[in-house]
Amino acid sequence: MKKRLYQSDAASYFREHSSIFLFIVILFLMGVIFGAIVVNSMSITQKEDLFYYLSQFFGQVSDGTVTEDNDLFLQSFYHNSKFIGLMWILGISIIGLPIILILLFLKGMVVGFTVGFLVSQMGWKGFLLAFASILPQNLIIIPVFILMSAFSVIFSMRMIKRQFMKKYAQPIMPFFKRYIVALIAAVLFISAASGVEAYLSPWLMKSIISSISLK
């Protein structure tokens, strides 16, 4: 009974704020597209320099001389949880709303640029490397970032209404408790994504690198 009630509450919550979730998804996709466009605006020298460093990195992956798995897990977890935590804090502040949207756009831009660069420089080989190095953990990270961005925007808007609209009488504490639960859930999913990035992605990359020529 409780489970069905929670599902009903979640469904009504998403319906109520469907326009915000749609806007967040579109903004992220715009970031991805913009990142891919930036690749085409780079000069040949810049592309060659960046590709040189990428080739060095892929060589280290192939040789097994990259960061230890546990260190990679901690680095990934720290980086992504810091990003999520910043979004959460910005959601509490009234002035944080535009910064949340900028951060999400930048995240999409990084993903679009990375995939776009690999594909533009290496064709189908770059696509395979992007599939191995970027896709696995981002299947978890991207939905978490999108949902956390939406929750932060919604909470920030509630704070703004409470501050500037005297008729807005809804208590903020129940929403704040749910907001804390959302942060805890996001961190748990981020830890799972960091595990994928540290233990699965390097293995996939090594398998692909050993089966294709990067030249």
Side-chain angles (χ1 to χ4, degrees):
M1 187 69 180
K2 277 189 175 182
K3 186 178 179 182
R4 191 175 298 173
L5 186 63
Y6 287 138
Q7 287 174 343
S8 177
D9 286 345
S12 61
Y13 181 86
F14 279 100
R15 277 197 303 271
E16 182 185 350
H17 302 101
S18 58
S19 58
I20 293 175
F21 284 100
L22 180 61
F23 173 75
I24 292 293
V25 170
I26 291 172
L27 182 66
F28 178 80
L29 292 175
M30 285 174 62
V32 172
I33 293 167
F34 187 77
I37 291 171
V38 168
V39 173
N40 295 325
S41 66
M42 293 173 67
S43 67
I44 295 174
T45 304
Q46 289 173 324
K47 287 182 179 179
E48 286 178 348
D49 288 343
L50 184 54
F51 184 65
Y52 170 76
Y53 289 114
L54 273 177
S55 298
Q56 294 284 99
F57 171 73
F58 289 139
Q60 289 176 347
V61 171
S62 182
D63 297 336
T65 55
V66 290
T67 309
E68 289 293 324
D69 292 347
N70 293 338
D71 292 336
L72 187 58
F73 172 83
L74 292 174
Q75 288 174 13
S76 174
F77 179 76
Y78 175 73
H79 171 74
N80 290 310
S81 58
K82 182 174 66 174
F83 203 93
I84 288 291
L86 177 59
M87 278 188 171
W88 190 87
I89 292 169
L90 288 168
I92 298 173
S93 65
I94 294 172
I95 60 171
L97 181 58
I99 305 174
I100 294 168
L101 300 178
I102 291 169
L103 287 174
L104 182 70
F105 182 84
L106 289 175
K107 176 64 179 176
M109 184 177 164
V110 169
V111 172
F113 178 84
T114 308
V115 175
F117 182 79
L118 286 171
V119 173
S120 71
Q121 292 298 107
M122 302 171 63
W124 67 272
K125 295 176 183 178
F127 177 79
L128 287 175
L129 283 171
F131 180 85
S133 61
I134 298 169
L135 181 65
Q137 62 269 22
N138 275 294
L139 286 174
I140 302 172
I141 292 173
I142 289 173
V144 170
F145 276 26
I146 287 173
L147 288 172
M148 199 67 222
S149 300
F151 294 150
S152 299
V153 166
I154 292 165
F155 192 82
S156 182
M157 289 174 70
R158 289 188 190 279
M159 295 288 288
I160 292 169
K161 285 180 182 178
R162 186 175 176 83
Q163 185 72 22
F164 298 106
M165 294 173 62
K166 301 302 180 185
K167 292 181 181 179
Y168 187 79
Q170 282 187 300
I172 205 71
M173 265 327 277
F175 298 112
F176 185 65
K177 288 176 182 176
R178 292 176 193 171
Y179 195 44
I180 292 174
V181 171
L183 175 65
I184 294 169
V187 170
L188 290 174
F189 278 106
I190 287 298
S191 65
S194 298
V196 171
E197 186 173 357
Y199 303 108
L200 177 62
S201 291
W203 177 79
L204 288 173
M205 287 173 65
K206 191 171 182 179
S207 300
I208 289 174
I209 291 168
S210 63
S211 63
I212 64 175
S213 171
L214 296 179
K215 302 296 182 184

